[in-house]
Amino acid sequence: EAQLAATPQATPARPVADLLHELQVHQIELEMQNEALRQTQQAFEQQRDRYLDLYEFAPVGYLTLSPEGIITEINLTGVKLLGRERKALLQHRFAACVTPEDRDVWMRQFLSVKQHAAPLSVELSLQRGDGSVFQAQLEYAPQKVISGAITGGGSEQTALRVALFDVSERKATQAQMRLQA
């Protein structure tokens, strides 16, 4: 309204009926745009819910590790596999879940994937929150991230997406087959 008041009236006066008609057309256009936005928002929310459902309830554990090896995201299956609460995992080092015997292997693999930015698979012994151990297969997928992008002058680093599988039964079956051979 302030801008309209500050703008000099350079156009000749038009009949009120014409102005009313033009105003009604603009109102209908705005209502149509608003409805289109509502539909788009609803479709977006449905896709978000679908993604969340697929991610959270996938049959394998999914987690994202920062370039420092900190768990930044983890799905429900990953939480169950590691036998800890989500809040006890998020923003904590994944290495704490690796058994002491396999930490060197874990660290070498982690650094290798970060350095070469290539997918990799490794089997490790992981420790649950209750102290029990299970054999896990980890499938790493590197992901480039820009650190410090908000403050400017960010540098590119490699974070990791990890798929986590419990392979304890397979390992036990393999061991039993070796004993029988």
Side-chain angles (χ1 to χ4, degrees):
E1 288 178 0
Q3 286 180 343
L4 184 59
T7 305
Q9 290 289 345
T11 58
R14 293 173 34 199
V16 173
D18 287 349
L19 292 174
L20 181 60
H21 174 74
E22 190 175 320
L23 193 58
Q24 289 171 335
V25 168
H26 283 300
Q27 181 179 1
I28 291 169
E29 286 175 350
L30 286 173
E31 288 172 358
M32 290 171 60
Q33 289 175 357
N34 193 23
E35 182 58 29
L37 282 172
R38 266 194 230 110
Q39 290 174 359
T40 301
Q41 182 179 2
Q42 185 178 19
F44 171 75
E45 288 172 358
Q46 288 172 346
Q47 289 293 348
R48 182 203 60 214
D49 292 346
R50 181 174 176 263
Y51 164 78
L52 184 63
D53 188 53
L54 285 171
Y55 179 80
E56 283 296 328
F57 301 107
V60 298
Y62 289 121
L63 52 130
T64 302
L65 300 178
S66 73
E68 296 78 29
I70 306 282
I71 300 171
T72 58
E73 295 177 82
I74 187 166
N75 71 348
L76 187 58
T77 306
V79 168
K80 287 179 181 177
L81 281 171
L82 294 173
R84 302 167 196 229
E85 290 191 33
R86 191 182 306 241
K87 66 181 177 184
L89 292 166
L90 290 174
Q91 303 309 314
H92 289 86
R93 294 196 175 278
F94 180 75
C97 300
V98 180
T99 60
E101 303 82 48
D102 280 354
R103 281 202 186 122
D104 286 341
V105 173
W106 149 252
M107 191 52 72
R108 282 193 306 273
Q109 297 295 330
F110 177 71
L111 293 173
S112 175
V113 172
K114 277 181 39 174
Q115 182 180 17
H116 301 295
L120 184 67
S121 178
V122 65
E123 290 185 3
L124 298 170
S125 297
L126 299 181
Q127 192 167 14
R128 292 186 173 98
D130 64 4
S132 64
V133 174
F134 71 101
Q135 300 301 307
Q137 180 175 336
L138 284 73
E139 300 286 336
Y140 302 110
Q143 174 190 14
K144 294 292 183 186
V145 293
I146 306 296
S147 66
I150 294 173
T151 58
S155 63
E156 189 174 89
Q157 295 183 325
T158 302
L160 298 179
R161 298 250 189 241
V162 180
L164 177 65
F165 306 86
D166 184 344
V167 294
S168 299
E169 286 183 37
R170 183 187 67 172
K171 297 292 266 183
T173 302
Q174 288 173 345
Q176 188 177 17
M177 288 174 67
R178 278 193 297 272
L179 287 174
Q180 291 176 351

